[in-house]
Amino acid sequence: MSTSNSKPSITAIVAATQSNGIGLDGGLPWKLPGEMKYFARVTTGEEPSSDLDQQNIVIMGRKTWESIPSKFRPLKNRKNLIISNKGIDVKESINTKSFNSIESTFEFLSNSNTNLNSSNKIFLIGGSQLYKTFLITKPPLINRILLTRIISEFKCDSFLEDFKSHKSLKNNLPIWKKSNHLELENWLGFKIDEENEEKGVKYKYEMWTLNEESE
Ligand SMILES: NC(=O)c1ccc[n+]([C@@H]2O[C@H](COP(=O)([O-])OP(=O)(O)OC[C@H]3O[C@@H](n4cnc5c(N)ncnc54)[C@H](OP(=O)(O)O)[C@@H]3O)[C@@H](O)[C@H]2O)c1
């Protein structure tokens, strides 16, 4: 895929079981309010601005958009970019825009007022199809993954691409490297427990970045 010259720095954020399950029947297989709060806090940023140009961006596929209850969308204090070939039934506003391709989304990112070198963060928030495309493109279209690893198993019908098994063709090293918890906290800008439990469901917050040693 050819994208514009300035490649945006994009972080995928996803919660997945140990067998990479992420969804069931178009929604999430679990209800974990604490994990949802983490998602909202991270994607919104610590001091959400009323100035749209200062807000973080969330990119999602049409099915993920539709999975958000209508009273919660667009996700507040974030610019919502939705990717759909067939278009979506959404009232476009300054913080909700739809695109018919990843290329046109990237075009918008590089031409919009959002300064890609500023402190705005850009997140890919799902779902399965878009995570896969962004991960299997060479080089990947994302450079960081915030993964909530759900330790319990849940019945799922959509899955996260198994990025941990991706190896570089040149030197066969893993493309993704797990950061330590301090590196995650430093990137987030706040402290968070690494291991958590809600309603008997255990989960861990992880961060993965591109492995500089892989070519
Ligand atoms: N656990 C988590 O962290 C997490 C996060 C997000 C979502 N999910 C779950 O994931 C599931 C949804 O994932 P999904 O894979 O079914 O759907 P999705 O990736 O959210 O959306 C797929 C749709 O996006 C559009 N699309 C994808 N790639 C495109 C491209 N290159 N160009 C243009 N349009 C493109 C197409 O829309 P059109 O059909 O309109 O053309 C496609 O049908 C749900 O169960 C959801 O709850 C889980």
Side-chain angles (χ1 to χ4, degrees):
M1 189 188 89
S2 74
T3 56
S4 61
N5 294 337
S6 52
K7 201 170 159 231
S9 172
I10 301 180
T11 296
I13 183 163
V14 56
T17 66
Q18 296 187 94
S19 48
N20 287 326
I22 65 164
L24 178 69
D25 297 334
L28 293 177
W30 44 77
K31 211 168 179 196
L32 300 171
E35 207 282 324
M36 289 297 284
K37 272 193 194 141
Y38 172 79
F39 169 85
R41 184 176 183 186
V42 173
T43 56
T44 307
E46 284 297 82
E47 286 166 29
S49 171
S50 53
D51 178 355
L52 267 168
D53 289 337
Q54 301 296 319
Q55 291 183 358
N56 288 341
I57 290 173
V58 287
I59 301 172
M60 70 198 94
R62 191 257 306 163
K63 292 183 184 171
T64 294
W65 167 259
E66 287 177 354
S67 77
I68 303 169
S70 50
K71 63 179 175 184
F72 294 126
R73 66 188 201 210
L75 295 175
K76 69 174 181 191
N77 293 325
R78 286 149 283 183
K79 284 188 204 167
N80 290 232
L81 309 188
I82 301 114
I83 305 183
S84 167
N85 285 298
K86 64 178 191 192
I88 54 160
D89 182 20
V90 59
K91 196 166 154 253
E92 297 249 347
S93 65
I94 35 183
N95 66 342
T96 310
K97 292 209 171 297
S98 71
F99 299 89
N100 63 7
S101 66
I102 295 171
E103 285 86 348
S104 58
T105 312
F106 276 51
E107 198 78 12
F108 169 81
L109 290 173
S110 53
N111 295 335
S112 72
N113 290 335
T114 303
N115 180 351
L116 296 179
N117 297 315
S118 79
S119 56
N120 301 86
K121 285 181 174 160
I122 306 172
F123 294 92
L124 174 67
I125 65 164
S128 174
Q129 263 190 48
L130 276 190
Y131 290 134
K132 182 168 184 177
T133 308
F134 278 62
L135 281 163
I136 66 172
T137 302
K138 292 197 178 12
L141 300 176
I142 49 179
N143 52 10
R144 186 179 306 272
I145 302 166
L146 297 180
L147 172 68
T148 302
R149 185 61 89 184
I150 311 273
I151 310 299
S152 318
E153 271 312 319
F154 283 83
K155 184 182 172 208
C156 293
D157 60 12
S158 55
F159 294 86
L160 176 65
E161 169 69 18
D162 184 19
F163 69 89
K164 277 170 72 177
S165 67
H166 291 185
K167 300 253 174 71
S168 129
L169 285 177
K170 264 195 187 166
N171 59 10
N172 206 35
L173 287 174
I175 290 181
W176 294 95
K177 191 175 169 189
K178 191 173 163 189
S179 306
N180 64 40
H181 191 65
L182 189 60
E183 288 168 327
L184 166 63
E185 290 184 327
N186 285 343
W187 191 81
L188 294 173
F190 59 83
K191 297 236 165 269
I192 187 97
D193 287 339
E194 183 172 5
E195 298 190 9
N196 299 273
E197 183 169 348
E198 283 185 87
K199 301 175 186 171
V201 178
K202 291 194 168 81
Y203 58 89
K204 287 184 189 172
Y205 292 124
E206 298 180 0
M207 179 167 81
W208 294 73
T209 57
L210 288 170
N211 181 4
E212 284 167 13
E213 285 164 30
S214 83
E215 294 171 9

